[in-house]
Amino acid sequence: MSSSARSPYLLRAGLVRNVRSGEHLTTFVVSGVATVLITRLFLGLSGYPQIGGKGLHIAHVLPGGLLMLVAIVLLLGYVGPVVRPAAALVGGVGFGLFIDEVGKFVTSDNDYFYQPAAAIVYVIFVLIVLGTRFIATRRPIDPREQLANVVDHAVEGVAGGLSRRRLAQASQQLRQVGLDVAGRQETRELLAACPADEVELAAPVDAAWQALQRGFDRLATHRYAPRVAVGVLVVQAIGAPVIAAGIRFDDGLFTDFPVLGVAAGSLLSATFTVRGWLQLRKGNRARAIRLFELAVLVSLLVTQVFQFAGTQFAAVGGMLLDLVLLGLLGAERDRMRRQETEAAKAKTWGLPPDSSRPPFPEDPSDPV
C-alpha cells in the first residue's frame, strides 16, 4: 500500500496543520478581546464620539474589516512562517473592532448598548477557541505534518537565508520526525543548504509570548504557587455568585437566570478544586493540576458566560484571573512533562536521576 493511501484524508486533500496554530490562535483571541475592551473604555471616557457628520457615521466596524483584509492579504501574499504572527495580531484587532458592534447587528434599532452584547462577544471568542482546539487536538500531529512544518521553514530559508535562531527552531522540529518518514533526509539537506543570514523581521509577538512563558515558568516554581492557586480558586468559586447576586438582587435573585448559572458553574468549579486539593495532599501532583485546570475551564466556559450575561463587561476581571491561573497551571504541567522526559532520557543513557547533563551533546542549530 502506498504512503498516500495510508495518509489521513485531510492530509491527502492538502490540509496540513500548523504546529504553532495554538500560539497564533492565542494571539488572535487576546488581541481581539483586548481591542474590544480598549474600544469600550475609550468610547466611554470620550463620551462616545461619532466620526463623520452631515448624516454620515463611520462605525469602527469599517476599520475592523479593513484590518482583517490586511491580515488576509498578508497570509495570501507571502509564504513561510514569519508573517503569521503579524497576521494573527492584525486580524485579531480587526475582528475585535468588528465584533464589538454586535449589538447593532442583532437588534432592529441598532442598539450598540444591547445588554446581552457582552455575553455574545464572550461566547463567540469561546467558540473560536473550542473550534480551533478541536481541529488541532482531535488527532495527534502526524509526523508528516511535523515534517511539512519544517519544510515551511526551509521555504523561507532557500530564498532569504536563515538566522541561527530560526535554523535551531527548524532543527528542533526535525528531531521530532521519525527517521523512517519519507522526505526527512531531503528536508535535512535542504535546511543545511539554506544560506546563513542573521537579518530577521522584527517579531514582537513572539518575544512577548516568550517573556510571558518565562514569567509563568518562574511563578509555577514558587513554593507558595499551589496554595495561592487553590486559594484564588476557592475565593473565586465563593465570590462569583455573591457578586452576581449583589448586582442583580433587585431583579429577583432566585428567578434570575444569570445568577443561577453563575452559582451552578461556581459549584462545579469548587468541586474540582476540592478534589484537586485532596490529590495534592496525597502527592499526586499531576492529577491535582489536571483537576485545577478543569476547575478553571468550567469557570471560563460556564461561570464567566453567565457573568457577562448578567454584569456585562464588569466580568472582565474574573476572566483575566482565570486566564492567569490557566497559564500558571499550564506552565507547571509543561515543567512536569519536561522533568519526566529528562528522567526517561537519563534512565535510557544510564545517568543519575538528578543529573542535569544532557544524555548526548547536540548542536541546536544542526539540522540532524
Side-chain angles (χ1 to χ4, degrees), residues 115 243-253 256-259 309-311:
Q115 181 173 346
I243 294 174
I247 293 176
R248 305 284 292 178
F249 184 82
D250 293 338
D251 296 332
L253 173 59
D256 195 302
F257 188 64
V259 173
T311 65

Side-chain angles (χ1 to χ4, degrees), residues 43 73 89 108 113 116 136 187 209 224 239-240 287 300 352 358:
L43 291 177
V73 170
L89 177 63
S108 58
F113 302 100
T187 303
W209 284 125
Y224 294 118
R287 178 62 177 166
L300 278 170

